[in-house]
Amino acid sequence: MHPATAKWYDRRDSVFIEFCVADSKDVKVNFDKTKCAFSCIGGTDNVKHENEIDLFEAIDENESKHKRTDRSVLCYLRKAQPGKAWPRLTKEKAKLSWLSVDFNNWKDWEDDSDEEIGNFDQFSDMMNNMGGEDDLPDLDGADDDESADSDDEKMPDLE
């Protein structure tokens, strides 16, 4: 048995784990308050993969889900305490060779204050309230076709 390669990332109310196993069969994912267990048979050589993770914090196992695709199995773990950042996925600080951070989806959400989110909403409202082309002021001579530029003259024929 081999552990499946996995990537994870943290969000305000949940944690995501992606087990990277192509063509997985017999997928089993069990969520417990403080554990996540994954197993499957994967690939053309039918290798059995099995992972068990002692989670950093508790999760709501009834709200946690998983979805299988042809390339991986994505697990959504609902945090028992939303708004609390997880500095790592596991309870232990040990480095696991099969586990890495998914930097493509990582976001430092804990730095976002409510004030900054409010400012962004105000900015969005301002952008939505700005007028369209009909509200542009008239520019003198902008629509006059009679004022031809020097580069609009006919070019002489080539010899």
Side-chain angles (χ1 to χ4, degrees):
M1 265 183 272
H2 299 273
T5 301
K7 299 185 289 188
W8 80 283
Y9 60 97
D10 184 35
R11 287 289 191 265
R12 188 175 301 279
D13 61 349
S14 56
V15 171
F16 291 86
I17 308 171
E18 183 178 15
F19 293 99
C20 305
V21 180
D23 301 322
S24 59
K25 299 180 276 294
D26 299 330
V27 174
K28 292 181 184 75
V29 180
N30 294 317
F31 300 112
D32 190 25
K33 198 93 175 136
T34 58
K35 286 187 181 190
C36 175
F38 169 80
S39 67
C40 75
I41 296 173
T44 54
D45 47 359
N46 291 325
V47 174
K48 182 156 176 63
H49 296 280
E50 198 168 299
N51 301 60
E52 188 169 304
I53 304 167
D54 288 321
L55 300 170
F56 179 75
E57 288 280 337
I59 60 168
D60 182 347
E61 65 267 28
N62 298 322
E63 292 290 321
S64 298
K65 309 172 179 90
H66 74 280
K67 180 182 179 188
R68 184 203 162 278
T69 66
D70 289 341
R71 299 179 63 155
S72 64
V73 177
L74 183 63
C75 298
Y76 164 84
L77 285 65
R78 180 75 176 204
K79 291 181 180 177
Q81 296 178 359
K84 186 173 182 186
W86 288 22
R88 62 185 178 276
L89 180 64
T90 60
K91 191 163 221 40
E92 305 295 320
K93 280 190 173 184
K95 171 89 173 110
L96 301 171
S97 61
W98 52 266
L99 182 65
S100 63
V101 173
D102 186 349
F103 287 107
N104 291 334
N105 289 307
W106 191 268
K107 183 180 174 193
D108 284 333
W109 57 264
E110 67 266 21
D111 294 338
D112 296 342
S113 68
D114 291 338
E115 182 181 317
E116 288 172 341
I117 292 168
N119 289 345
F120 180 75
D121 291 340
Q122 288 175 347
F123 178 73
S124 296
D125 291 342
M126 183 183 73
M127 293 300 287
N128 290 334
N129 291 333
M130 290 182 77
E133 291 181 17
D134 297 340
D135 296 336
L136 290 175
D138 289 334
L139 299 175
D140 293 335
D143 292 333
D144 296 342
D145 289 333
E146 294 105 32
S147 60
D149 291 337
S150 62
D151 58 348
D152 289 343
E153 296 172 7
K154 187 172 179 348
M155 296 285 293
D157 291 334
L158 295 175
E159 295 179 12

